Amino acid sequence: MADFMDATLGYAVSPPFDNASPGDCYFQATDGTRFKVLRHVLVDTSPYFAELLKDVSPSASPELPTFDIDEDAKTVHALLAFLYPVHVPDLLNGALILKLAEMEEKYRIPESRIALGFSTAMEIYYQDKTKPIERAIELFSLAWRFDSRQACQFISRHIHSVDLTNKSIVGKLVSCSKTIDSYIALTDLRRQREFALDGIIEALEPKKYLCPSHSSSDKMFFTFVSMMKTAARNALLAPFPTCRDAFSFLGIQGTDGIRVVTWCSSCYAGADRTRLTTQLREAISRYPQMVSIVPDEDVWRVW
């Protein structure tokens, strides 16, 4: 596997691109790092490199020809890993997948290669659900473009806090996925989550446990319920929300950042906290977390 060293020491190039590997030319990154490559492999996988290397003929000279590639070493390494028949999972993180997808047209990278790298990167996220997904909205776009229902549903858990009214975000989503259906799927999930908040609040039985001062009038009662809903929205932004205690989860007791519900000592006095926590956990388990609208065909391709 590649060992990414400090910039002052240089970039460690791993096989099959190091000096000891077979090759007939070098690709040089912007920092001077060189990757030894086989021209016939690249010519067969990318029209860009076929054009770049077409006039290069075999030479008896011990000095192999060098081609400058206007990318940093890590990007060149990932690009070559995409095009070569090699498996380099530590290169295939979400950020690099997106960067290479953005360069798809420039280097004329076959879509099948990007899809393969994307699927490999997603396997890493599936194995570690605690791992945050950066630029989730863009990865969701790629998942939709590659017709992966599994990835669409998994990534949609990480998009709850994304502003879907932002025109720039929506434009990028639709452009990258190449269909407005991806946007429709996410807005439908938002609608479902808002509707389902009633079930979260009902699990805490506010009508039963709010004191007379907070439940004597509809206005007061629904003001308090509205505050609880706001707390629930924030608590449920996590991709995999965990409720250890109902009161602390929604901020009914004490202060917990933005999850705070103003209450008095009489509210929920004598309530069975364990029972309410069990009910809330069950409600959370039913709460919509993933898109239900998915690509028409689940083409989780094996290339």
Side-chain angles (χ1 to χ4, degrees):
M1 299 301 171
D3 177 20
F4 301 126
M5 303 170 62
D6 185 87
T8 58
L9 301 176
Y11 183 91
V13 179
S14 60
F17 309 117
D18 62 346
N19 282 322
S21 297
D24 50 21
C25 66
Y26 285 101
F27 280 1
Q28 183 166 279
T30 52
D31 64 356
T33 302
R34 298 204 305 174
F35 298 84
K36 197 174 185 182
V37 298
L38 289 164
R39 281 174 284 178
H40 74 268
V41 173
L42 298 174
V43 166
D44 290 340
T45 56
S46 165
Y48 173 88
F49 291 115
E51 180 68 21
L52 177 70
L53 302 170
K54 69 178 182 179
D55 295 327
V56 180
S57 56
S59 172
S61 172
E63 184 62 31
L64 300 179
T66 298
F67 298 87
D68 291 325
I69 305 297
D70 190 24
E71 308 292 347
D72 61 74
K74 191 171 184 178
T75 301
V76 174
H77 197 174
L79 176 60
L80 292 174
F82 264 50
L83 299 176
Y84 259 65
V86 295
H87 185 61
V88 192
D90 56 332
L91 281 174
L92 302 179
N93 58 62
L96 265 180
I97 295 295
L98 289 170
K99 187 171 184 179
L100 291 171
E102 291 168 358
M103 298 190 302
E104 177 184 5
E105 184 174 346
K106 177 180 179 180
Y107 293 112
R108 300 167 74 180
I109 305 171
E111 186 179 84
S112 61
R113 298 282 179 165
I114 298 178
L116 177 59
F118 175 80
S119 66
T120 302
M122 287 308 304
E123 286 298 328
I124 297 173
Y125 291 117
Y126 296 151
Q127 293 169 14
D128 183 5
K129 294 182 179 180
T130 64
K131 189 179 181 68
I133 297 182
E134 297 181 5
R135 299 173 66 182
I137 194 74
E138 295 166 81
L139 285 174
F140 178 83
S141 301
L142 281 184
W144 197 283
R145 174 182 164 190
F146 297 143
D147 299 321
S148 172
R149 294 179 180 178
Q150 180 186 13
C152 284
Q153 291 184 318
F154 185 86
I155 298 171
S156 64
R157 286 178 170 271
H158 295 259
I159 300 178
H160 301 321
S161 61
V162 174
D163 182 5
L164 294 179
T165 65
N166 184 303
K167 291 183 178 179
S168 176
I169 292 175
V170 174
K172 186 175 291 186
L173 168 66
V174 174
S175 175
C176 186
S177 65
K178 300 186 178 181
T179 174
I180 197 172
D181 291 345
S182 57
Y183 171 69
I184 293 173
L186 290 176
T187 53
D188 176 72
L189 175 59
R190 291 289 171 89
R191 179 190 60 77
Q192 290 183 49
R193 287 168 63 84
E194 187 64 23
F195 182 78
L197 279 177
D198 287 340
I200 298 294
I201 304 306
E202 287 173 4
L204 291 172
E205 304 177 9
K207 197 68 175 177
K208 181 178 180 180
Y209 290 112
L210 293 185
C211 71
S213 297
H214 287 133
S215 60
S216 57
S217 70
D218 288 344
K219 181 178 180 181
M220 181 63 73
F221 176 75
F222 285 113
T223 295
F224 195 90
V225 167
S226 178
M227 295 170 66
M228 294 176 73
K229 280 189 174 184
T230 298
R233 285 189 196 95
N234 286 291
L236 291 165
L237 290 177
F240 297 92
T242 301
C243 174
R244 294 182 175 85
D245 174 77
F247 289 5
S248 60
F249 185 78
L250 292 185
I252 292 177
Q253 190 171 64
T255 58
D256 183 17
I258 58 175
R259 298 199 295 269
V260 177
V261 177
T262 303
W263 70 305
C264 70
S265 58
S266 298
C267 289
Y268 283 90
D272 185 337
R273 196 161 177 158
T274 300
R275 183 177 65 83
L276 292 179
T277 296
T278 298
Q279 290 181 179
L280 181 57
R281 287 172 178 165
E282 291 174 353
I284 292 173
S285 71
R286 297 189 297 269
Y287 190 72
Q289 292 287 359
M290 305 182 296
V291 290
S292 56
I293 299 175
V294 292
D296 291 336
E297 297 182 19
D298 194 3
V299 187
W300 194 235
R301 300 182 177 98
V302 179
W303 299 97

